[in-house]
Amino acid sequence: MKMLLAALLAAASCATVAQAQTGVPVQNAPTGPVYTLDQAVAAAGGSAPASEAATAAVQAAQAGRTVAGLRPNPVVQGQIENIIGSGPYRGLRSAESTVGFAVPIELGGKRGARVAVANAQLSRAEIQAAIIAADVRLQVTQLYVEAVAAERRVVTARDQARIASDALRGASVRVQAGRASPLEQQRADVARINADANVERQLRLAEAARANLARRIGRPVDGTLDDTLLDQLPGATVYGPMAPVETAGTLALAAANADFTIAEAGVRLARANRVPDLNVGPALRRLEATNDTAAVFTVSIPIPLFNNGRAAIAQATAQRTQADAQRRVTALDIEQAITDAQAQAANAATTARAASGPALAAAQEAARIARIGYREGKFGQLELLDAERTLAETRVAAIDALANYQNARAQVERLTARAPNGGNQ
């Protein structure tokens, strides 16, 4: 009778184990419509402080463009001469009062040079806003992928815990029937305790991943996440020489080009500032002694004696040289970064295809054979537990590999993101 009971319990354990491999939904998981990655990115873009700062920077640059195009304000002048002197100039009897205004006339193309600098700064602010938007998308994508992967790990952990519990029940029956050593039951109990603890750990990690995603997008994550995101893999390709990296128009290079354009416009402005401006304007003079009035026309021009603008030109020229060298460095760095990221993404895709394909299929087949052999008495419990443990570890490795590929792909997309208007400066 004990032998029959042990066989029945073992068969039930194997059936439950087989059912566990199909996967079960995470308990207490949010229900409702799927909350997609694009929705999360859109929500994060509207609430991220960095995006708000970038928008304010663009608005400030637009205001700066308006300011740069304004002309200098006229100056109202007034003066009283020949007062509080001696002889005929005692008191106000010989006073001469002059009232007028002067209009600054900018020479050398200063206004156009200021506008060119402001336009370059506005373009740079727009590129920076695009960089921040790309960074936000990368961050949200990584958090979203981690949240999806964490929920899959919870499913795998619960499957493993169910397997361990069934194995413990089967071991207990075998010990009671005298067919196994008490050590087998103790091992099964240790495996069950570790599996239950792993479920708790994975649940906490899944909750933390979802909370981090909600914190980044500035709102609770409604509905379920798009679980199919992890399974989107490129087709297998034959290894060959990597395609040349095209960096033109990328955000990083566009930002470096914009910095060079600002520096180049600064050189033009420094040269324009060397040309002295004129101040011209009419005035009206009243002579107190005769109660007559007369017109006065004034012209003034500064003398570039102490500051002739050469130092400013030298400074601007050096900054332009620095910006030019920096954009060449950026071009090399971005080429290297894209090459490395593409290689990492390709390797991650290869690993993910192997882990979620042949390796997982082999582990599933090994577990199936172990379950059949255990039912028929050809394999012991240790062989069954080892096969099931290998299957669980392979499933976790497949989840990690799929998540790594999605993160690597997101990094490539970030590095190759195009600048506004193609990054033309």
Side-chain angles (χ1 to χ4, degrees):
M1 183 65 182
K2 290 183 179 179
M3 298 286 291
L4 178 61
L5 180 60
L8 290 175
L9 286 177
S13 173
C14 292
T16 306
V17 168
Q19 182 181 5
Q21 304 311 317
T22 62
V24 294
V26 180
Q27 296 180 0
N28 302 325
T31 59
V34 176
Y35 190 75
T36 64
L37 174 60
D38 290 337
Q39 290 175 320
V41 171
S47 62
S51 299
E52 183 178 354
T55 301
V58 172
Q59 293 173 349
Q62 291 172 341
R65 166 63 178 80
T66 301
V67 172
L70 298 177
R71 300 181 182 278
N73 292 321
V75 178
V76 176
Q77 299 175 338
Q79 63 180 3
I80 301 177
E81 302 179 41
N82 304 329
I83 61 173
I84 314 177
S86 60
Y89 300 104
R90 184 175 301 169
L92 302 176
R93 290 177 298 178
S94 300
E96 297 180 4
S97 304
T98 304
V99 177
F101 67 93
V103 178
I105 299 178
E106 293 184 305
L107 302 177
K110 294 183 179 65
R111 181 166 171 266
R114 287 199 310 270
V115 171
V117 172
N119 285 334
Q121 291 173 341
L122 175 58
S123 178
R124 182 63 172 88
E126 292 172 345
I127 293 173
Q128 185 62 32
I131 289 175
I132 292 176
D135 288 340
V136 169
R137 182 173 185 85
L138 174 61
Q139 294 166 0
V140 173
T141 299
Q142 291 173 338
L143 291 174
Y144 192 97
V145 169
E146 178 55 32
V148 172
E151 291 183 356
R152 281 200 182 183
R153 294 189 191 101
V154 170
V155 173
T156 300
R158 282 177 169 160
D159 288 348
Q160 189 171 0
R162 189 178 297 106
I163 293 169
S165 296
D166 293 339
L168 176 59
R169 287 194 295 269
S172 299
V173 172
R174 288 168 61 87
V175 171
Q176 291 176 3
R179 298 179 57 195
S181 168
L183 181 60
E184 183 174 328
Q185 180 178 355
Q186 293 297 323
R187 288 176 177 173
D189 192 24
V190 171
R192 191 263 311 168
I193 293 173
N194 291 334
D196 290 342
N198 186 48
V199 171
E200 293 184 11
R201 290 194 297 268
Q202 297 303 326
L203 281 172
R204 292 191 187 96
L205 292 176
E207 292 174 358
R210 184 173 280 261
N212 288 334
L213 178 60
R215 186 177 297 111
R216 173 61 64 178
I217 66 178
R219 52 166 293 181
V221 180
D222 299 326
T224 59
L225 300 178
D226 184 8
D227 184 73
T228 63
L229 176 67
L230 288 185
D231 301 321
Q232 299 175 5
L233 287 174
T237 57
V238 179
Y239 173 76
M242 297 186 65
V245 176
E246 180 60 40
T247 62
T250 58
L251 286 171
L253 191 57
N257 287 335
D259 291 336
F260 174 76
T261 302
I262 293 174
E264 194 170 34
V267 174
R268 176 186 170 189
L269 179 59
R271 289 173 178 169
N273 286 333
R274 286 198 66 191
V275 180
D277 296 334
L278 290 177
N279 290 281
V280 299
L284 187 63
R285 175 169 297 178
R286 180 177 180 275
L287 291 80
E288 190 69 25
T290 60
N291 199 24
D292 293 326
T293 58
V296 179
F297 188 81
T298 62
V299 177
S300 64
I301 182 171
I303 301 175
L305 180 60
F306 301 109
N307 182 9
N308 57 14
R310 291 181 180 176
I313 292 177
Q315 179 184 15
T317 302
Q319 291 173 343
R320 181 181 61 183
T321 303
Q322 178 186 13
D324 184 41
Q326 186 60 48
R327 71 173 178 172
R328 293 199 303 270
V329 172
T330 301
L332 296 175
D333 289 345
I334 193 64
E335 287 180 2
Q336 178 179 345
I338 292 176
T339 299
D340 292 343
Q342 289 176 339
Q344 291 173 3
N347 288 339
T350 300
T351 303
R353 281 193 296 266
S356 60
L360 184 58
Q364 290 173 338
E365 180 64 14
R368 186 187 68 83
I369 294 174
R371 288 193 293 269
I372 295 174
Y374 182 74
R375 285 198 302 267
E376 296 177 353
K378 297 180 180 180
F379 296 144
Q381 187 185 40
L382 291 179
E383 287 82 357
L384 175 62
L385 289 177
D386 182 66
E388 298 293 0
R389 185 182 304 109
T390 300
L391 176 58
E393 292 174 351
T394 304
R395 293 174 66 189
V396 172
I399 294 171
D400 293 341
L402 290 169
N404 289 337
Y405 167 71
Q406 296 301 331
N407 287 330
R409 181 180 62 83
Q411 183 65 29
V412 173
E413 291 179 353
R414 164 62 185 88
L415 291 172
T416 57
R418 315 309 292 178
N421 301 322
N424 295 326
Q425 301 297 325

